[in-house]
């Protein structure tokens, strides 16, 4: 980000970061002249090769919500975190107006790099937490994603919506799924085997004790069939 310090948007609200976003991330010309604080971060993440951990957004509330769903939303500042602001002083993600990057912390002051600030500039700022809604942590996104996708292209899986985090199974367990294969259920092997043995044994005993008709066929009882389903 440092080489871009001092950048100023052009006439008609045009920015090179919005231009890049409209061609690379979202094919829509409106981004060329849209507020570009978040698109600058998307551009910088692309240059640094860390876009899958930073995210690529133009709408700041959506970006903050993305960090929340990734388990990477925090109320504690740290270097490298995205810092989200609500100029009205609110603390809800839906009210976020602006975003920057925390460069460092010093004696209670948050030093940032922000785009589209003070009107049109890309510059360093000094902030307190009075207008801060929260922080997005690329570090935490990286930890979460690489922990479940070792050896795979994380960005490709994320874009396709195929990244899924599930709790690890305990030793000696097996997985059952519903018909769509989307609801894993962990069951202990030993209790299941004992239950099946008990059911088979009782079925055999009852079949031996059940009275027979003169034709040797069991009479079929009629009644309501109970509904069934998966938990």
């Amino acid at each position: 980000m440092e080489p871009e310090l001092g950048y100023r948007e052009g006439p008609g609200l045009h920015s090179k970061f919005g231009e890049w976003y409209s061609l690379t991330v979202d094919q829509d010309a409106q981004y060329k002249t849209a507020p570009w604080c978040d698109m600058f971060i998307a551009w910088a993440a692309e240059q640094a090769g860390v876009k899958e951990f930073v995210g690529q957004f133009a709408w700041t509330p959506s970006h903050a919500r993305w960090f929340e769903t990734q388990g990477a939303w925090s109320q504690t500042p740290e270097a490298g975190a995205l810092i989200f602001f609500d100029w009205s002083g609110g603390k809800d993600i839906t009210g976020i107006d602006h975003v920057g990057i925390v460069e460092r912390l010093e004696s209670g002051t948050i030093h940032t790099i922000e785009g589209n600030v003070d009107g049109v500039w890309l510059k360093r700022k000094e902030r307190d937490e009075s207008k801060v809604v929260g922080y997005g942590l690329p570090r935490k996104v990286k930890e979460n994603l690489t922990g479940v996708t070792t050896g795979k292209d994380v960005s490709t899986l994320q874009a396709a919506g195929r990244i899924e985090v599930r709790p690890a199974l305990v030793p000696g367990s097996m997985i059952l799924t519903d018909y769509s294969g989307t609801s894993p259920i962990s069951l202990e092997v030993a209790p299941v085997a004992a239950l099946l043995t008990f059911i088979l044994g009782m079925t055999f005993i009852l079949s031996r004790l059940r009275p027979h008709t003169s034709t040797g066929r069991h009479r079929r009882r009629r009644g309501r069939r109970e509904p069934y389903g998966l938990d």
Side-chain angles (χ1 to χ4, degrees):
M1 289 181 160
E2 288 184 342
E4 300 299 322
L5 288 169
Y7 174 83
R8 186 171 184 173
E9 72 181 36
L13 308 180
H14 181 275
S15 75
K16 68 178 183 181
F17 308 113
E19 177 86 23
W20 168 84
Y21 194 93
S22 71
L23 296 173
T24 306
V25 181
D26 195 330
Q27 307 296 316
D28 193 328
Q30 69 171 323
Y31 293 110
K32 296 179 181 181
T33 56
W36 47 276
C37 60
D38 213 357
M39 293 188 287
F40 164 61
I41 291 175
W43 176 88
E46 174 84 14
Q47 308 309 306
V50 294
K51 66 179 182 180
E52 63 267 38
F53 310 131
V54 175
Q56 292 188 305
F57 292 83
W59 181 243
T60 49
S62 295
H63 200 170
R65 191 70 71 190
W66 178 80
F67 276 110
E68 186 179 57
T69 60
Q70 295 288 328
W73 183 249
S74 174
Q75 296 300 316
T76 304
E78 63 179 63
L82 276 67
I83 178 171
F84 291 89
F85 300 92
D86 179 351
W87 300 135
S88 68
K91 297 300 179 180
D92 191 272
I93 284 177
T94 58
I96 289 173
D97 302 302
H98 181 65
V99 64
I101 292 286
V102 177
E103 188 173 21
R104 71 183 191 279
L105 306 172
E106 189 176 282
S107 302
T109 299
I110 305 171
H111 296 261
T112 66
I113 295 178
E114 301 171 31
N116 195 33
V117 69
D118 294 339
V120 295
W121 291 95
L122 195 164
K123 61 194 299 185
R124 284 187 167 100
K125 297 287 291 183
E126 294 182 3
R127 303 289 193 184
D128 59 32
E129 293 198 79
S130 61
K131 306 295 185 181
V132 176
V133 178
Y135 304 87
L137 307 182
R139 168 188 61 78
K140 186 64 176 177
V141 175
K142 181 178 180 179
E143 291 174 4
N144 293 341
L145 295 184
T146 57
V148 297
T149 57
T150 303
K152 296 183 179 180
D153 187 341
V154 175
S155 61
T156 299
L157 292 175
Q158 184 183 42
R162 290 167 50 201
I163 287 180
E164 185 176 5
V165 181
R166 295 178 178 175
L169 297 175
V170 297
S173 63
M174 64 181 180
I175 298 176
L176 298 182
T177 63
D178 64 13
Y179 297 129
S180 64
T182 58
S183 300
I185 305 170
S186 175
L187 297 177
E188 296 299 327
V189 173
V192 172
L195 178 60
L196 291 175
T197 301
F198 173 77
I199 292 173
L200 290 174
M202 290 300 296
T203 302
F204 175 77
I205 293 172
L206 292 174
S207 68
R208 301 287 294 178
L209 297 176
R210 182 177 296 175
H212 292 72
T213 63
S214 58
T215 60
R217 295 179 181 270
H218 296 299
R219 296 180 60 191
R220 180 175 297 177
R221 298 176 59 189
R222 296 184 180 273
R224 294 186 60 189
R225 184 178 179 183
E226 294 296 326
Y228 65 92
L230 295 174
D231 291 335

